[in-house]
Amino acid sequence: MTHLVISGGKVVTPDGVLDPGWLEVENGTITAIGSGSPQQSGAAITDVAGAWVIPGFVDIHCHGGGGEAFTDTDPLRVGTAVDAHRRHGTTTMLASLVSRPVPELVNQVAALAELVQEGLLAGIHLEGPFLSAARCGAHDPAILCPPEPESVRKLLAAGQGAVSMITIAPELDGAVHAVRGLVDSGVIAAIGHTDATEASVLPAIDAGATVATHLFNGMRPLHHREPGPIGALLDDPRVTVELIVDLVHVHPTVVRLAARHAGPGRTVLITDAIAAAGVGDGVYDVGGLEVTVTDGVPRIAGGGSLAGSTLTMDAAFRNLVQHCGLTIREAVTATSTRPAAVLGLGEETGSLAVGMAADLVVLDDGLRPAGVLARGEWVKS
């Protein structure tokens, strides 16, 4: 394993920014960190003078990239998608699956579970099929269904502990019961793709739902006489809110309002990326639906609903700082520290401190990746 020292950059730690700072990495772990000049350790020194050194990004909602989707569970293709995002600084990620018939999802989950066990993925997120047809977005409405106990049981059994999160519309029959069951099983219950009123959302939060799947998108809009899911989820201190900060899904002013209200402890940036991320415009398949990507924006063919994004986490980070007015430290929390905590990985990754995994991104003055370290090894660009 690599033994190295990264020195001279602005190192963002949980306690503040070390400028200049340094950190030592050995056997995939951060072994020392400090300000000024590095200690003499015999390790090779990488000089990153003036650059930002931040934790590797943690993406809890991503469907693919590099031309490949996680629905195609071939390990090589999954690896291509992971590598595409890793080059942009994402060192930990969930594989999100779109709505499909439960038997098909069971097979996909079982295949991806092996890659979770191998460490390629941090877990699996099921975005459906337990969603509202009224707010289905890029999910085939013919496939959507209520979260019947047997369906949920089969999906969790197929994952053998690899299913980390399931998104549910709380107004569906049996939804609150399903949320309780997920929480009891150690699975994150998320609320999304919902046409619920506030009165229907609150029981699901009380039952243990703790994540808002891409807040604002795929939801009944906020109204001053009926706050609906957006008002309920944004205002509840128990809920972490996902935001897609590609400047298309959510306006920068609305991003800023939501992030300021939720605060760093409840705000998480996601990509919701599809296979087109890192590839370009064209026609793609998303859960059996034809999606056309034009100027980087995916929509259901014919100019329909937005269908995920082509976002990478480094771009989301830049957008949050440069267009939405948040600070570097707030952006680090939203892209690394908080999502790692949501997944229960906060003792392993998500911040730069002694004993943590050596997952980090070196950003230039334009906040673009100049280098990515994953588990102590430099990622090939």
Side-chain angles (χ1 to χ4, degrees):
M1 296 292 286
T2 302
H3 182 201
L4 58 87
V5 170
I6 298 171
S7 176
K10 294 170 281 192
V11 181
V12 182
T13 76
D15 299 320
V17 180
L18 305 178
D19 183 15
W22 59 271
L23 54 83
E24 183 179 12
V25 171
E26 190 169 6
N27 296 327
T29 301
I30 299 172
T31 54
I33 192 165
S35 59
S37 299
Q39 300 171 354
Q40 297 298 318
S41 65
I45 296 179
T46 300
D47 186 2
V48 296
W52 290 95
V53 182
I54 66 171
F57 302 127
V58 179
D59 192 354
I60 67 173
H61 188 152
C62 179
H63 296 279
E68 304 293 351
F70 292 131
T71 48
D72 187 334
T73 55
D74 177 86
L76 291 178
R77 293 185 171 183
V78 172
T80 295
V82 170
D83 287 344
H85 286 282
R86 190 168 287 169
R87 289 192 293 271
H88 288 272
T90 297
T91 52
T92 303
M93 69 190 317
L94 295 187
S96 297
L97 296 176
V98 295
S99 298
R100 298 300 300 159
V102 170
E104 185 175 333
L105 277 176
V106 165
N107 291 335
Q108 291 175 349
V109 168
L112 290 177
E114 296 182 13
L115 303 182
V116 174
Q117 294 168 1
E118 293 174 9
L120 182 64
L121 300 166
I124 301 166
H125 164 221
L126 299 178
E127 189 183 12
F130 312 128
L131 311 177
S132 165
R135 302 287 175 183
C136 60
H139 296 259
D140 185 348
I143 291 171
L144 305 183
C145 60
E148 297 176 350
E150 183 62 13
S151 295
V152 175
R153 185 197 66 78
K154 288 179 179 178
L155 290 167
L156 296 186
Q160 301 182 67
V163 176
S164 300
M165 181 165 65
I166 298 181
T167 298
I168 293 179
E171 69 270 31
L172 299 180
D173 291 342
V176 173
H177 177 75
V179 167
R180 289 197 190 97
L182 292 178
V183 174
D184 289 343
S185 299
V187 177
I188 300 163
I191 293 175
H193 286 281
T194 171
D195 199 39
T197 62
E198 182 187 58
S200 296
V201 174
L202 294 177
I205 298 174
D206 289 338
T210 55
V211 170
T213 295
H214 45 53
L215 190 74
F216 299 107
N217 302 116
M219 293 184 179
R220 175 193 289 260
L222 179 69
H223 190 277
H224 58 283
R225 285 191 291 273
E226 169 47 65
I230 295 171
L233 295 164
L234 182 56
D235 204 39
D236 197 300
R238 296 170 290 182
V239 178
T240 294
V241 297
E242 296 180 349
L243 294 170
I244 307 172
V245 188
D246 60 355
L247 310 182
V248 175
H249 280 77
V250 186
H251 190 280
T253 297
V254 179
V255 169
R256 183 166 53 253
L257 289 171
R260 290 287 185 235
H261 185 81
R266 297 177 48 224
T267 303
V268 164
L269 302 197
I270 61 166
T271 62
D272 195 20
I274 64 170
V279 177
D281 292 355
V283 178
Y284 297 83
D285 179 276
V286 176
L289 300 179
E290 184 177 304
V291 170
T292 301
V293 179
T294 304
D295 295 329
V297 179
R299 291 187 179 274
I300 298 297
S305 170
L306 287 168
S309 84
T310 59
L311 190 64
T312 52
M313 286 293 280
D314 61 316
F317 185 100
R318 284 194 300 278
N319 289 339
L320 193 67
V321 174
Q322 296 175 347
H323 297 281
C324 302
L326 274 71
T327 68
I328 294 287
R329 291 190 67 189
E330 288 171 328
V332 165
T333 301
T335 56
S336 301
T337 311
R338 184 58 196 159
V342 168
L343 297 181
L345 301 175
E347 298 298 319
E348 304 170 27
T349 192
S351 61
L352 300 182
V354 173
M356 303 292 279
D359 295 329
L360 60 83
V361 188
V362 179
L363 299 175
D364 64 18
D365 289 341
L367 302 183
R368 295 182 179 277
V372 178
L373 200 69
R375 297 305 191 269
E377 300 290 339
W378 291 109
V379 174
K380 294 181 180 180
S381 59

